[in-house]
């Protein structure tokens, strides 16, 4: 009899991503729709619109760059299947660049929409990402890569791109 309890050769390709992305997209759409319908108040300060639109555009572009750099340039799917820990390229400045990419894009959309009340949502995105990653993928990565991943975590931020700590 062959046992199916053999340990997987690699981590799940999509990880916790679909749960995170669907949730933050739904929150963003709900916030904008409820604001448009007048159910949520709309607070806009005219003098900040150009700044918010500029920041929103920058966030949107950064999000697209993060996603392309992580998923396509680093060939993440191939490295997951090959059971390799990716710590180079965009992964040297943020541990979860694909999830961060979605948060940046949606934050950019909210900034462009310019309802100051909805700018609370990016903090919810960050908190949800932190809790979700600690409970799922980061545990999987520690199990799979041990000290190598723990050392990486000490050097690189979870979801906000930043210069590596030395």
């Amino acid at each position: 009899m062959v046992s199916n309890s053999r340990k997987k050769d690699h981590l799940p390709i999509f990880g916790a991503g679909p749960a995170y992305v669907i949730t933050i997209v739904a929150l963003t759409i709900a916030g904008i729709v409820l604001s448009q319908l007048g159910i949520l108040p709309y607070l806009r300060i005219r003098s900040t619109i150009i700044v918010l639109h500029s920041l929103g555009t920058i966030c949107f572009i950064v999000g697209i760059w993060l996603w392309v750099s992580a998923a396509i340039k680093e060939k993440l799917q191939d490295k997951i299947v090959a059971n390799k820990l990716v710590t180079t390229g965009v992964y040297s400045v943020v541990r979860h660049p694909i999830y961060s990419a979605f948060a940046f894009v949606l934050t950019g959309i909210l900034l462009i929409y310019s309802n100051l009340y909805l700018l609370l949502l990016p903090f919810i995105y960050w908190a949800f990402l932190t809790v979700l990653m600690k409970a799922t993928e980061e545990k999987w990565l520690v199990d799979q890569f041990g000290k190598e991943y723990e050392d990486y975590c000490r050097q690189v931020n979870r979801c906000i791109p930043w210069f590596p700590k030395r």
Side-chain angles (χ1 to χ4, degrees):
M1 185 160 120
V2 178
S3 171
N4 288 334
S5 64
R6 196 179 132 235
K7 186 178 175 182
K8 281 189 170 183
D9 292 335
H10 61 80
L11 298 172
I13 298 294
F14 293 111
Y20 178 70
V21 172
I22 290 168
T23 300
I24 69 171
V25 167
L27 284 172
T28 303
I29 291 170
I32 291 172
V33 168
L34 292 172
S35 181
Q36 284 291 103
L37 294 174
I39 296 169
L40 285 178
Y42 192 99
L43 175 62
R44 174 184 274 176
I45 301 171
R46 266 198 200 290
S47 61
T48 65
I49 291 173
I50 291 173
V51 171
L52 291 174
H53 285 205
S54 299
L55 290 173
T57 302
I58 291 167
C59 281
F60 194 88
I61 291 168
V62 166
I64 298 299
W65 172 80
L66 281 169
W67 190 88
V68 168
S69 296
I72 297 172
K73 188 175 177 193
E74 290 295 327
K75 299 180 174 147
L76 181 62
Q77 185 171 339
D78 295 343
K79 291 180 179 172
I80 291 172
V81 171
N83 201 30
K84 292 182 180 176
L85 179 62
V86 184
T87 61
T88 58
V90 72
Y91 287 89
S92 69
V93 295
V94 64
R95 291 196 312 257
H96 303 288
I98 292 176
Y99 303 136
S100 296
F102 281 97
F104 269 92
V105 165
L106 294 172
T107 298
I109 290 168
L110 291 172
L111 286 162
I112 291 167
Y113 185 66
S114 301
N115 181 345
L116 297 177
Y117 289 124
L118 293 182
L119 294 181
L120 293 174
L121 286 175
F123 296 99
I124 294 169
Y125 303 161
W126 172 81
F128 180 46
L129 179 61
T130 298
V131 169
L132 187 64
M133 290 302 100
K134 282 183 172 184
T136 60
E137 291 191 20
E138 291 186 353
K139 283 184 179 182
W140 303 338
L141 288 160
V142 167
D143 288 346
Q144 195 80 7
F145 299 106
K147 185 172 176 356
E148 180 183 9
Y149 185 72
E150 290 169 348
D151 291 344
Y152 172 63
C153 289
R154 281 190 282 280
Q155 296 173 356
V156 178
N157 284 341
R158 177 178 290 112
C159 53
I160 299 171
W162 198 251
F163 302 103
K165 302 166 196 150
R166 297 283 174 204

